[in-house]
Amino acid sequence: MPVSNERLYMDYNASAPLGSLARQAMVAAMDLDANPSSVHDDGRKARAVVEKARSQIGKLFDSQAKQVVFTSGATEAANFALTPDWTMGRALVRFSKLYVASSAHPCLLSGGRFTGDDIVQVPVTGDGMVDLPALERTVGDHDTDSGLPLVAMPAACNETGVLQPLREIAALVRAHRGTLVVDAVQMAGRMAIGLSEPVGDYFIVSAHKLGGPRGIGALIALSDIMMPLPLVRGGGQEKGHRAGTENTVGIAGFGAAVEAALADLARDRWAAIATMRDRFETGLRALCPSVTIYGEHVPRLPNTSFFSLPGIKAETAQIALDLDGIAVSAGSACSSGKVGPSHVLEAMGVEKVDGALRVSLVPGAGPADIDRILASLERLLKRSLSAHAA
Ligand code: PLP
């Protein structure tokens, strides 16, 4: 297959391309020259845009959201939610420990406003699923005299795409009087967050993972009885939960992106992506039977494939694909371009691999795109074979 000059972006989990409806909504919001807190007509127009987006985003949660607090992204939402100090009306509620999955994104793992000694990592199995008996033991041993347990879990891992059993986790956390904060960044807008049974109490979402702009996110509460103490203090915006003039343009794009993502979900667009991911993995195994595909046997995001090719450094593979015009990741892209050992693989007990490559397909990826990635990997494998033979 000839090498195409056109760029092929397959790094959706790092950041989704901006959707056209989100772009339109943002361009329209740029013409609103007012502060959404101003009471004049111009201010009220800006306010209407913010509130429309708030209700669009609430729909991700079957309109059960009681609070949607806008933040500068998921990282800020995590730092807001992960705090020992919460309020219930005028009363203070104290969480004495944070329990967090060892495969979680660094914005959860770093524990927000908890201090190091009060952050307990919960192990994951070799497949990347939270070790439920270990979670049961750890949260079961929690001493509620000093405060309640706060639990933070990813809905889906940004590297492997592995989905956590949120229903079981939520039931276990409730049984031990805990509160569950779910990082829904990689799941929201790609899979229904079924709420027929409890799957969490607070949810973190980020616009740029579902076709909205970068730098805007939210903390969503399914009950407004209890809220974390504000992280960003100042004016009374966001009902006092997050000070600072709202990012009207970002919020407008976020709302429109959610609306578009939910329409795509209703059209089952992600089922087609799963077919493409399976085509990719079948082709990959045919090229390299000894490939390791992480989380292959457990439920995963339909667009994500995270794998190691024996004898080939993930960085080398990433560069080779990039030179062929294909953007993928070697692990996660959250640390200023740094490619280090994946803490997710470490958490899964994976040893002695030269990193792993993540292909995260964008909606609309077709067979020709998959074949182009496979052709590039095939050339790389052949070069590696001949280098070893020389
Ligand atoms: N949580 C997960 C699972 C992520 O993948 C990311 C970003 O990669 C974040 C949180 C952080 O999101 P943001 O870039 O909005 O701070």
Short mmCIF file of all heavy atoms in Angstrom, two decimals, residues 126-184:
data_model
loop_
_atom_site.label_atom_id
_atom_site.label_comp_id
_atom_site.label_asym_id
_atom_site.label_seq_id
_atom_site.Cartn_x
_atom_site.Cartn_y
_atom_site.Cartn_z
N GLY A 126 -4.61 -8.31 36.64
CA GLY A 126 -3.79 -8.33 35.42
C GLY A 126 -4.55 -7.85 34.20
O GLY A 126 -3.95 -7.41 33.22
N ASP A 127 -5.87 -7.92 34.25
CA ASP A 127 -6.69 -7.44 33.13
C ASP A 127 -7.02 -5.96 33.25
O ASP A 127 -7.69 -5.40 32.38
CB ASP A 127 -8.03 -8.20 33.11
CG ASP A 127 -7.91 -9.53 32.41
OD1 ASP A 127 -7.08 -9.62 31.48
OD2 ASP A 127 -8.63 -10.46 32.78
N GLY A 128 -6.65 -5.36 34.37
CA GLY A 128 -6.90 -3.93 34.55
C GLY A 128 -8.23 -3.63 35.24
O GLY A 128 -8.61 -2.46 35.34
N MET A 129 -8.92 -4.70 35.70
CA MET A 129 -10.18 -4.46 36.42
C MET A 129 -9.87 -4.22 37.90
O MET A 129 -8.96 -4.86 38.45
CB MET A 129 -11.10 -5.69 36.35
CG MET A 129 -11.37 -6.19 34.96
SD MET A 129 -12.71 -5.33 34.19
CE MET A 129 -14.12 -5.99 35.03
N VAL A 130 -10.64 -3.35 38.53
CA VAL A 130 -10.44 -3.13 39.97
C VAL A 130 -10.64 -4.46 40.70
O VAL A 130 -11.59 -5.20 40.42
CB VAL A 130 -11.43 -2.07 40.49
CG1 VAL A 130 -11.46 -2.04 42.00
CG2 VAL A 130 -11.04 -0.72 39.96
N ASP A 131 -9.71 -4.75 41.62
CA ASP A 131 -9.77 -5.99 42.39
C ASP A 131 -10.88 -5.81 43.45
O ASP A 131 -10.67 -5.20 44.49
CB ASP A 131 -8.39 -6.20 43.03
CG ASP A 131 -8.30 -7.49 43.81
OD1 ASP A 131 -9.35 -7.99 44.25
OD2 ASP A 131 -7.17 -7.96 43.99
N LEU A 132 -12.07 -6.33 43.12
CA LEU A 132 -13.24 -6.08 44.00
C LEU A 132 -13.06 -6.63 45.42
O LEU A 132 -13.39 -5.93 46.38
CB LEU A 132 -14.52 -6.61 43.35
CG LEU A 132 -15.04 -5.79 42.17
CD1 LEU A 132 -16.24 -6.47 41.53
CD2 LEU A 132 -15.40 -4.37 42.58
N PRO A 133 -12.54 -7.87 45.57
CA PRO A 133 -12.34 -8.34 46.95
C PRO A 133 -11.38 -7.43 47.73
O PRO A 133 -11.59 -7.15 48.91
CB PRO A 133 -11.76 -9.75 46.77
CG PRO A 133 -12.20 -10.18 45.41
CD PRO A 133 -12.27 -8.93 44.58
N ALA A 134 -10.34 -6.91 47.03
CA ALA A 134 -9.40 -6.00 47.73
C ALA A 134 -10.11 -4.70 48.10
O ALA A 134 -9.91 -4.16 49.19
CB ALA A 134 -8.19 -5.72 46.84
N LEU A 135 -10.96 -4.20 47.21
CA LEU A 135 -11.72 -2.97 47.51
C LEU A 135 -12.64 -3.21 48.71
O LEU A 135 -12.73 -2.39 49.63
CB LEU A 135 -12.53 -2.55 46.28
CG LEU A 135 -13.40 -1.30 46.45
CD1 LEU A 135 -12.55 -0.05 46.67
CD2 LEU A 135 -14.31 -1.08 45.24
N GLU A 136 -13.29 -4.37 48.70
CA GLU A 136 -14.20 -4.72 49.80
C GLU A 136 -13.44 -4.76 51.13
O GLU A 136 -13.88 -4.19 52.12
CB GLU A 136 -14.83 -6.10 49.48
CG GLU A 136 -15.63 -6.74 50.59
CD GLU A 136 -17.07 -6.25 50.63
OE1 GLU A 136 -17.79 -6.57 49.69
OE2 GLU A 136 -17.43 -5.57 51.61
N ARG A 137 -12.27 -5.41 51.10
CA ARG A 137 -11.47 -5.50 52.33
C ARG A 137 -11.03 -4.11 52.79
O ARG A 137 -11.19 -3.75 53.95
CB ARG A 137 -10.20 -6.33 52.08
CG ARG A 137 -10.39 -7.84 52.26
CD ARG A 137 -9.04 -8.54 52.32
NE ARG A 137 -8.14 -8.25 51.21
CZ ARG A 137 -8.21 -8.85 50.01
NH1 ARG A 137 -9.15 -9.76 49.77
NH2 ARG A 137 -7.36 -8.54 49.05
N THR A 138 -10.49 -3.31 51.86
CA THR A 138 -9.92 -2.02 52.24
C THR A 138 -11.00 -1.08 52.77
O THR A 138 -10.85 -0.48 53.83
CB THR A 138 -9.24 -1.35 51.02
OG1 THR A 138 -8.74 -2.35 50.18
CG2 THR A 138 -8.15 -0.41 51.40
N VAL A 139 -12.09 -0.95 51.99
CA VAL A 139 -13.13 -0.01 52.42
C VAL A 139 -13.86 -0.59 53.64
O VAL A 139 -14.28 0.13 54.54
CB VAL A 139 -14.09 0.33 51.26
CG1 VAL A 139 -15.16 1.33 51.69
CG2 VAL A 139 -13.33 0.90 50.07
N GLY A 140 -13.94 -1.95 53.67
CA GLY A 140 -14.58 -2.61 54.83
C GLY A 140 -13.82 -2.35 56.12
O GLY A 140 -14.41 -2.28 57.19
N ASP A 141 -12.50 -2.18 56.02
CA ASP A 141 -11.67 -1.95 57.22
C ASP A 141 -11.64 -0.46 57.62
O ASP A 141 -10.97 -0.08 58.57
CB ASP A 141 -10.21 -2.36 56.94
CG ASP A 141 -10.06 -3.87 57.01
OD1 ASP A 141 -11.00 -4.52 57.47
OD2 ASP A 141 -9.00 -4.36 56.56
N HIS A 142 -12.31 0.37 56.84
CA HIS A 142 -12.25 1.82 57.10
C HIS A 142 -12.85 2.14 58.48
O HIS A 142 -13.92 1.65 58.83
CB HIS A 142 -13.02 2.58 56.01
CG HIS A 142 -13.02 4.06 56.21
ND1 HIS A 142 -12.04 4.86 55.70
CD2 HIS A 142 -13.86 4.88 56.89
CE1 HIS A 142 -12.27 6.11 56.04
NE2 HIS A 142 -13.38 6.15 56.77
N ASP A 143 -12.13 2.98 59.20
CA ASP A 143 -12.58 3.36 60.54
C ASP A 143 -13.44 4.63 60.42
O ASP A 143 -12.90 5.73 60.19
CB ASP A 143 -11.33 3.60 61.41
CG ASP A 143 -11.68 4.20 62.75
OD1 ASP A 143 -12.88 4.20 63.11
OD2 ASP A 143 -10.74 4.67 63.44
N THR A 144 -14.76 4.49 60.55
CA THR A 144 -15.64 5.63 60.32
C THR A 144 -15.65 6.63 61.49
O THR A 144 -16.27 7.69 61.40
CB THR A 144 -17.09 5.18 60.02
OG1 THR A 144 -17.44 4.17 60.95
CG2 THR A 144 -17.27 4.69 58.62
N ASP A 145 -14.93 6.30 62.58
CA ASP A 145 -14.91 7.25 63.70
C ASP A 145 -14.23 8.56 63.30
O ASP A 145 -14.60 9.64 63.76
CB ASP A 145 -14.13 6.66 64.90
CG ASP A 145 -14.96 5.58 65.58
OD1 ASP A 145 -16.16 5.49 65.24
OD2 ASP A 145 -14.41 4.83 66.40
N SER A 146 -13.21 8.44 62.43
CA SER A 146 -12.48 9.66 62.05
C SER A 146 -13.08 10.35 60.83
O SER A 146 -12.70 11.47 60.49
CB SER A 146 -11.01 9.32 61.79
OG SER A 146 -10.94 8.23 60.91
N GLY A 147 -13.98 9.70 60.14
CA GLY A 147 -14.59 10.29 58.95
C GLY A 147 -15.04 9.18 58.00
O GLY A 147 -14.74 8.00 58.22
N LEU A 148 -15.72 9.58 56.93
CA LEU A 148 -16.28 8.58 56.01
C LEU A 148 -15.27 8.24 54.90
O LEU A 148 -14.32 8.99 54.67
CB LEU A 148 -17.56 9.16 55.39
CG LEU A 148 -18.68 9.41 56.40
CD1 LEU A 148 -19.78 10.25 55.77
CD2 LEU A 148 -19.24 8.10 56.92
N PRO A 149 -15.51 7.13 54.19
CA PRO A 149 -14.61 6.81 53.07
C PRO A 149 -15.06 7.47 51.76
O PRO A 149 -16.25 7.43 51.42
CB PRO A 149 -14.72 5.28 52.96
CG PRO A 149 -16.03 4.92 53.58
CD PRO A 149 -16.45 6.02 54.51
N LEU A 150 -14.12 8.08 51.04
CA LEU A 150 -14.39 8.61 49.71
C LEU A 150 -13.66 7.70 48.72
O LEU A 150 -12.49 7.36 48.94
CB LEU A 150 -13.87 10.04 49.59
CG LEU A 150 -14.25 10.80 48.32
CD1 LEU A 150 -15.76 11.05 48.26
CD2 LEU A 150 -13.53 12.17 48.25
N VAL A 151 -14.37 7.27 47.68
CA VAL A 151 -13.78 6.34 46.72
C VAL A 151 -13.79 7.00 45.34
O VAL A 151 -14.78 7.62 44.95
CB VAL A 151 -14.58 5.00 46.69
CG1 VAL A 151 -13.99 4.04 45.67
CG2 VAL A 151 -14.61 4.37 48.09
N ALA A 152 -12.65 6.92 44.63
CA ALA A 152 -12.57 7.52 43.29
C ALA A 152 -12.17 6.44 42.28
O ALA A 152 -11.15 5.76 42.48
CB ALA A 152 -11.55 8.64 43.28
N MET A 153 -12.98 6.29 41.25
CA MET A 153 -12.75 5.22 40.26
C MET A 153 -12.90 5.76 38.85
O MET A 153 -13.80 6.56 38.57
CB MET A 153 -13.80 4.12 40.44
CG MET A 153 -13.66 3.32 41.70
SD MET A 153 -12.25 2.19 41.57
CE MET A 153 -11.83 2.02 43.30
N PRO A 154 -12.06 5.27 37.92
CA PRO A 154 -12.28 5.61 36.52
C PRO A 154 -13.42 4.75 35.98
O PRO A 154 -13.49 3.56 36.31
CB PRO A 154 -10.96 5.24 35.85
CG PRO A 154 -10.33 4.20 36.74
CD PRO A 154 -10.89 4.39 38.13
N ALA A 155 -14.29 5.33 35.15
CA ALA A 155 -15.29 4.49 34.47
C ALA A 155 -14.59 3.66 33.40
O ALA A 155 -14.88 2.48 33.21
CB ALA A 155 -16.35 5.38 33.84
N ALA A 156 -13.65 4.29 32.70
CA ALA A 156 -12.89 3.62 31.65
C ALA A 156 -11.47 4.15 31.69
O ALA A 156 -11.26 5.35 31.86
CB ALA A 156 -13.50 3.90 30.28
N CYS A 157 -10.51 3.25 31.50
CA CYS A 157 -9.10 3.66 31.55
C CYS A 157 -8.70 4.32 30.24
O CYS A 157 -8.99 3.79 29.16
CB CYS A 157 -8.24 2.42 31.81
SG CYS A 157 -6.49 2.78 31.77
N ASN A 158 -8.04 5.47 30.35
CA ASN A 158 -7.65 6.18 29.13
C ASN A 158 -6.61 5.41 28.31
O ASN A 158 -6.54 5.56 27.10
CB ASN A 158 -7.11 7.58 29.46
CG ASN A 158 -6.13 7.60 30.60
OD1 ASN A 158 -6.40 7.07 31.67
ND2 ASN A 158 -4.98 8.19 30.38
N GLU A 159 -5.82 4.55 28.96
CA GLU A 159 -4.78 3.82 28.22
C GLU A 159 -5.33 2.52 27.63
O GLU A 159 -5.26 2.29 26.43
CB GLU A 159 -3.58 3.54 29.13
CG GLU A 159 -2.89 4.84 29.54
CD GLU A 159 -1.54 4.63 30.20
OE1 GLU A 159 -0.99 3.52 30.15
OE2 GLU A 159 -1.04 5.61 30.77
N THR A 160 -5.86 1.65 28.50
CA THR A 160 -6.33 0.33 28.02
C THR A 160 -7.75 0.37 27.49
O THR A 160 -8.16 -0.52 26.74
CB THR A 160 -6.32 -0.69 29.18
OG1 THR A 160 -7.16 -0.16 30.22
CG2 THR A 160 -4.93 -0.93 29.71
N GLY A 161 -8.53 1.34 27.94
CA GLY A 161 -9.95 1.38 27.60
C GLY A 161 -10.79 0.45 28.48
O GLY A 161 -12.01 0.37 28.32
N VAL A 162 -10.16 -0.24 29.44
CA VAL A 162 -10.89 -1.20 30.28
C VAL A 162 -11.97 -0.48 31.10
O VAL A 162 -11.72 0.55 31.71
CB VAL A 162 -9.91 -1.96 31.21
CG1 VAL A 162 -10.66 -2.73 32.30
CG2 VAL A 162 -9.05 -2.92 30.38
N LEU A 163 -13.17 -1.07 31.07
CA LEU A 163 -14.32 -0.50 31.78
C LEU A 163 -14.41 -1.12 33.17
O LEU A 163 -14.27 -2.35 33.31
CB LEU A 163 -15.61 -0.81 31.01
CG LEU A 163 -15.68 -0.31 29.57
CD1 LEU A 163 -16.89 -0.91 28.86
CD2 LEU A 163 -15.74 1.21 29.55
N GLN A 164 -14.66 -0.31 34.15
CA GLN A 164 -14.78 -0.84 35.51
C GLN A 164 -16.22 -1.24 35.81
O GLN A 164 -17.16 -0.63 35.27
CB GLN A 164 -14.30 0.20 36.53
CG GLN A 164 -12.83 0.54 36.41
CD GLN A 164 -11.91 -0.68 36.55
OE1 GLN A 164 -12.30 -1.71 37.10
NE2 GLN A 164 -10.70 -0.56 36.03
N PRO A 165 -16.41 -2.24 36.67
CA PRO A 165 -17.77 -2.68 37.02
C PRO A 165 -18.41 -1.69 38.00
O PRO A 165 -18.44 -1.92 39.21
CB PRO A 165 -17.54 -4.06 37.66
CG PRO A 165 -16.15 -4.00 38.21
CD PRO A 165 -15.36 -3.02 37.37
N LEU A 166 -18.90 -0.57 37.47
CA LEU A 166 -19.34 0.52 38.35
C LEU A 166 -20.50 0.12 39.26
O LEU A 166 -20.59 0.58 40.39
CB LEU A 166 -19.73 1.74 37.50
CG LEU A 166 -18.57 2.46 36.81
CD1 LEU A 166 -19.10 3.65 36.02
CD2 LEU A 166 -17.52 2.95 37.81
N ARG A 167 -21.39 -0.74 38.75
CA ARG A 167 -22.53 -1.13 39.58
C ARG A 167 -22.07 -1.84 40.85
O ARG A 167 -22.49 -1.51 41.95
CB ARG A 167 -23.43 -2.09 38.79
CG ARG A 167 -24.64 -1.43 38.36
CD ARG A 167 -25.57 -2.19 37.50
NE ARG A 167 -26.21 -1.18 36.71
CZ ARG A 167 -25.75 -0.71 35.56
NH1 ARG A 167 -24.67 -1.22 35.04
NH2 ARG A 167 -26.35 0.27 34.94
N GLU A 168 -21.18 -2.81 40.66
CA GLU A 168 -20.67 -3.57 41.81
C GLU A 168 -19.89 -2.64 42.75
O GLU A 168 -20.03 -2.71 43.97
CB GLU A 168 -19.73 -4.70 41.36
CG GLU A 168 -20.43 -5.90 40.77
CD GLU A 168 -20.60 -5.78 39.26
OE1 GLU A 168 -20.71 -4.64 38.74
OE2 GLU A 168 -20.65 -6.82 38.59
N ILE A 169 -19.09 -1.76 42.15
CA ILE A 169 -18.28 -0.85 42.98
C ILE A 169 -19.21 0.06 43.78
O ILE A 169 -19.04 0.25 44.99
CB ILE A 169 -17.31 -0.03 42.09
CG1 ILE A 169 -16.27 -0.94 41.46
CG2 ILE A 169 -16.64 1.08 42.90
CD1 ILE A 169 -15.38 -0.28 40.41
N ALA A 170 -20.24 0.61 43.11
CA ALA A 170 -21.15 1.55 43.79
C ALA A 170 -21.88 0.85 44.94
O ALA A 170 -22.04 1.43 46.02
CB ALA A 170 -22.14 2.13 42.79
N ALA A 171 -22.30 -0.40 44.71
CA ALA A 171 -23.04 -1.14 45.76
C ALA A 171 -22.13 -1.35 46.97
O ALA A 171 -22.53 -1.15 48.12
CB ALA A 171 -23.54 -2.46 45.20
N LEU A 172 -20.89 -1.72 46.67
CA LEU A 172 -19.93 -1.98 47.75
C LEU A 172 -19.62 -0.69 48.55
O LEU A 172 -19.60 -0.70 49.78
CB LEU A 172 -18.69 -2.52 47.05
CG LEU A 172 -17.58 -3.22 47.76
CD1 LEU A 172 -16.87 -4.12 46.76
CD2 LEU A 172 -16.64 -2.25 48.36
N VAL A 173 -19.46 0.40 47.81
CA VAL A 173 -19.13 1.67 48.47
C VAL A 173 -20.30 2.11 49.36
O VAL A 173 -20.13 2.51 50.51
CB VAL A 173 -18.77 2.75 47.42
CG1 VAL A 173 -18.65 4.13 48.04
CG2 VAL A 173 -17.48 2.38 46.69
N ARG A 174 -21.52 1.97 48.83
CA ARG A 174 -22.71 2.35 49.63
C ARG A 174 -22.83 1.49 50.88
O ARG A 174 -23.18 1.99 51.94
CB ARG A 174 -23.97 2.15 48.79
CG ARG A 174 -24.15 3.31 47.87
CD ARG A 174 -25.46 3.38 47.20
NE ARG A 174 -25.39 4.62 46.40
CZ ARG A 174 -26.42 5.26 45.95
NH1 ARG A 174 -27.63 4.80 46.17
NH2 ARG A 174 -26.28 6.38 45.26
N ALA A 175 -22.54 0.18 50.72
CA ALA A 175 -22.68 -0.72 51.87
C ALA A 175 -21.75 -0.29 53.00
O ALA A 175 -22.00 -0.61 54.16
CB ALA A 175 -22.37 -2.15 51.43
N HIS A 176 -20.67 0.43 52.66
CA HIS A 176 -19.73 0.86 53.70
C HIS A 176 -19.83 2.37 53.95
O HIS A 176 -18.86 3.00 54.38
CB HIS A 176 -18.30 0.45 53.31
CG HIS A 176 -18.14 -1.04 53.28
ND1 HIS A 176 -18.11 -1.81 54.42
CD2 HIS A 176 -18.07 -1.91 52.25
CE1 HIS A 176 -17.99 -3.08 54.08
NE2 HIS A 176 -17.97 -3.17 52.77
N ARG A 177 -20.97 2.94 53.67
CA ARG A 177 -21.27 4.36 53.94
C ARG A 177 -20.34 5.31 53.20
O ARG A 177 -20.09 6.44 53.66
CB ARG A 177 -21.23 4.64 55.45
CG ARG A 177 -22.28 3.86 56.24
CD ARG A 177 -22.20 4.13 57.72
NE ARG A 177 -22.28 5.55 58.05
CZ ARG A 177 -21.72 6.08 59.13
NH1 ARG A 177 -21.02 5.35 59.96
NH2 ARG A 177 -21.86 7.36 59.38
N GLY A 178 -19.83 4.85 52.08
CA GLY A 178 -18.90 5.69 51.32
C GLY A 178 -19.61 6.49 50.25
O GLY A 178 -20.81 6.34 50.00
N THR A 179 -18.84 7.36 49.61
CA THR A 179 -19.32 8.17 48.49
C THR A 179 -18.39 7.88 47.31
O THR A 179 -17.18 7.77 47.49
CB THR A 179 -19.26 9.67 48.88
OG1 THR A 179 -20.24 9.86 49.92
CG2 THR A 179 -19.58 10.59 47.72
N LEU A 180 -19.00 7.72 46.13
CA LEU A 180 -18.22 7.31 44.96
C LEU A 180 -18.13 8.43 43.93
O LEU A 180 -19.14 8.91 43.42
CB LEU A 180 -18.86 6.06 44.33
CG LEU A 180 -18.20 5.52 43.06
CD1 LEU A 180 -16.74 5.14 43.30
CD2 LEU A 180 -18.97 4.30 42.54
N VAL A 181 -16.88 8.85 43.65
CA VAL A 181 -16.61 9.82 42.59
C VAL A 181 -16.11 9.03 41.37
O VAL A 181 -15.15 8.28 41.48
CB VAL A 181 -15.53 10.84 43.02
CG1 VAL A 181 -15.21 11.81 41.89
CG2 VAL A 181 -15.96 11.59 44.27
N VAL A 182 -16.80 9.19 40.24
CA VAL A 182 -16.44 8.44 39.04
C VAL A 182 -15.82 9.38 38.02
O VAL A 182 -16.40 10.41 37.69
CB VAL A 182 -17.70 7.76 38.45
CG1 VAL A 182 -17.38 7.08 37.12
CG2 VAL A 182 -18.27 6.74 39.43
N ASP A 183 -14.65 8.99 37.53
CA ASP A 183 -14.03 9.73 36.42
C ASP A 183 -14.65 9.17 35.13
O ASP A 183 -14.25 8.10 34.65
CB ASP A 183 -12.51 9.51 36.46
CG ASP A 183 -11.81 10.15 35.28
OD1 ASP A 183 -12.49 10.60 34.35
OD2 ASP A 183 -10.56 10.19 35.29
N ALA A 184 -15.63 9.90 34.62
CA ALA A 184 -16.37 9.41 33.44
C ALA A 184 -15.82 10.02 32.14
O ALA A 184 -16.47 9.95 31.10
CB ALA A 184 -17.85 9.75 33.59
#
